[in-house]
Amino acid sequence: MIKTLDIGGAEVLLVERLRQTPRAGLAYSVVFMQAATDELVDVLRGAGVTVVDLRNCPRWLRYARLVRAVRRLAPDVVNVHSPSLAAVLRPFVRLMRPRPSLISTVHQEHATRLAMLLDRPTRGLEDLMVAVSPQVARSRNVRGARRVCTRVHGVDVGKQRYWAERAGQVRQEFSIPTDAFVLACVANLRPVKNHLLLIDAASRVLASRPDALFALAGDGPLRGQVLAEIDRRGLRSRVRFLGRVPQANRLVAAADVLLLSSHSEGMPVVVMEAIAAGVPVVSTAVGGIPELIHNNRNGILTRPGSPEALAEGILQAMCPEVYPVLAAGALADAAKVDISGTADWFHELYANLTTDARRG
């Protein structure tokens, strides 16, 4: 169960895991309420996953339809990936007979105040809460849960290596000059991602490294503000706004550096995609990012909220004597972010929960 099925961290993690999950003896369904495109829907259906699409349902009826979908599917295990959905489903699932095992997967260390108010009182009703990073497992988003475990998910390493080997082809698709040092930011244009800080840092970097090219992929409510700031600073030629990019993991793999300027994060998918492709990361030190990125090994971590610190980190990563070390370190860590192990882990978890429930 997931609220949206757009290109975002939680959504991509779920889809990639289901693509690689063993199918023996288990059937999977995904129920969602919102999506701007069918990209992930098509991927799931292509992988043999049943998709229940509630987009056409009136907004005020969606939660009732969600409950009805669970009743109709009669699952052995319900795994919820959105706090608001979990708040609605926990009491209902507890009353079902036979009762499914109930799991929440928590992807962020911060949630909206409304989501927190709805979610926290019912956390004790589920069997297990899975945090996607140790940082998330320590956050207030899991307080009150009966049982919490941590599982860093990962990405399709083979797919990222495939696109890394075709970086020139991807750069040509986006009309990126062959001599540019490409710093890619793949993130929804929302306040938490702090794109205005990134643009400030970019202007400082370009003052001394005019060969830098910043490629921004994503969309969201701050699109107009971000574009206006790029134009105000006269950066349109070196800070490229690409909008929503299908299969944006290709751009991550084709970049020289992945760049993030967020206020907060869980365990960002793009960071794992970068490591899988052997692409160093320059990021603010927030959320679960420091658990994967280590200074002067596979990337550079900077102080949150500081454009000066982010610009300094970028310039350091671009140094000819530093960059090869960071790229080699990222590639050496690729096995740590392989989704296949997590797919097997969840498969075994679901199978064990189902077996225990039937014995009970």
Side-chain angles (χ1 to χ4, degrees):
M1 307 290 167
I2 193 163
K3 190 171 185 179
T4 65
L5 205 53
D6 284 324
I7 301 297
E11 295 84 355
V12 171
L13 284 178
L14 174 61
V15 171
E16 286 300 318
R17 174 165 66 79
L18 291 178
R19 283 182 63 245
Q20 299 209 24
T21 295
R23 291 289 187 268
L26 298 178
Y28 288 85
S29 300
V30 171
V31 183
F32 76 100
M33 293 182 170
Q34 302 169 17
T37 73
D38 285 334
E39 182 176 341
L40 295 184
V41 175
D42 293 341
V43 172
L44 285 172
R45 286 177 172 154
V49 176
T50 299
V51 179
V52 179
D53 181 352
L54 301 180
R55 281 179 293 183
N56 294 329
C57 177
R59 188 177 297 272
W60 60 275
L61 264 180
R62 285 178 182 171
Y63 284 92
R65 292 288 174 84
L66 175 73
V67 169
R68 189 170 77 175
V70 176
R71 183 185 295 116
R72 180 176 56 81
L73 290 168
D76 295 295
V77 178
V78 175
N79 191 343
V80 189
H81 293 259
S82 306
S84 59
L85 302 192
V88 170
L89 287 172
R90 286 173 187 140
F92 168 74
V93 170
R94 273 282 166 180
L95 295 173
M96 289 180 66
R97 294 294 181 270
R99 182 179 77 81
S101 297
L102 181 59
I103 303 169
S104 287
T105 300
V106 184
H107 296 266
Q108 296 285 344
E109 59 175 325
H110 297 290
T112 66
R113 182 171 298 179
L114 177 59
M116 290 287 290
L117 287 173
L118 293 172
D119 180 52
R120 187 167 182 176
T122 59
R123 286 179 192 158
L125 297 178
E126 63 193 10
D127 299 289
L128 177 66
M129 185 171 281
V130 179
V132 299
S133 76
Q135 185 78 14
V136 171
R138 295 189 293 267
S139 73
R140 62 178 184 169
N141 276 7
V142 303
R143 292 174 190 167
R146 294 169 59 195
R147 180 184 165 207
V148 180
C149 69
T150 302
R151 183 72 198 191
V152 176
H153 281 48
V155 296
D156 187 336
V157 171
K159 181 166 64 176
Q160 287 306 96
R161 293 305 307 151
Y162 173 89
W163 287 115
E165 292 165 1
R166 290 158 179 79
Q169 171 188 329
V170 175
R171 292 187 182 203
Q172 186 176 20
E173 177 184 341
F174 293 105
S175 302
I176 294 173
T178 56
D179 59 347
F181 189 100
V182 181
L183 299 112
C185 176
V186 177
N188 292 323
L189 273 63
R190 299 184 179 278
V192 70
K193 300 298 184 179
N194 207 359
H195 282 80
L196 296 185
L197 183 144
L198 185 153
I199 295 166
D200 190 344
S203 68
R204 298 167 189 266
V205 170
L206 288 165
S208 58
R209 288 294 301 262
D211 60 320
L213 188 145
F214 295 80
L216 278 55
D219 207 347
L222 297 187
R223 174 179 179 145
Q225 187 179 358
V226 169
L227 288 174
E229 183 65 11
I230 293 171
D231 286 339
R232 186 183 74 80
R233 292 178 178 268
L235 300 176
R236 183 64 74 99
S237 65
R238 303 308 291 181
V239 180
R240 301 267 189 92
F241 177 70
L242 304 178
R244 190 186 299 276
V245 174
Q247 294 181 296
N249 59 290
R250 298 176 303 139
L251 181 63
V252 174
D256 292 299
V257 164
L258 175 75
L259 184 59
L260 285 176
S261 53
S262 306
H263 288 305
S264 69
E265 289 283 357
M267 183 64 77
V269 172
V270 289
V271 170
M272 294 185 281
E273 288 175 340
I275 293 173
V279 173
V281 176
V282 176
S283 172
T284 46
V286 296
I289 295 174
E291 293 157 16
L292 286 177
I293 302 304
H294 306 287
N295 269 326
N296 302 313
R297 172 180 165 77
N298 57 8
I300 305 292
L301 296 174
T302 69
R303 186 171 69 257
S306 170
E308 298 89 352
L310 187 61
E312 183 179 340
I314 294 169
L315 290 171
Q316 181 182 350
M318 293 178 71
C319 287
E321 65 273 18
V322 174
Y323 180 77
V325 175
L326 300 182
L331 187 58
D333 287 342
K336 298 178 181 178
V337 296
D338 193 337
I339 190 71
S340 60
T342 295
D344 291 340
W345 185 86
F346 270 98
H347 176 80
E348 185 176 351
L349 173 66
Y350 293 164
N352 289 341
L353 287 171
T354 301
T355 299
D356 291 345
R358 287 173 178 170
R359 285 174 180 169

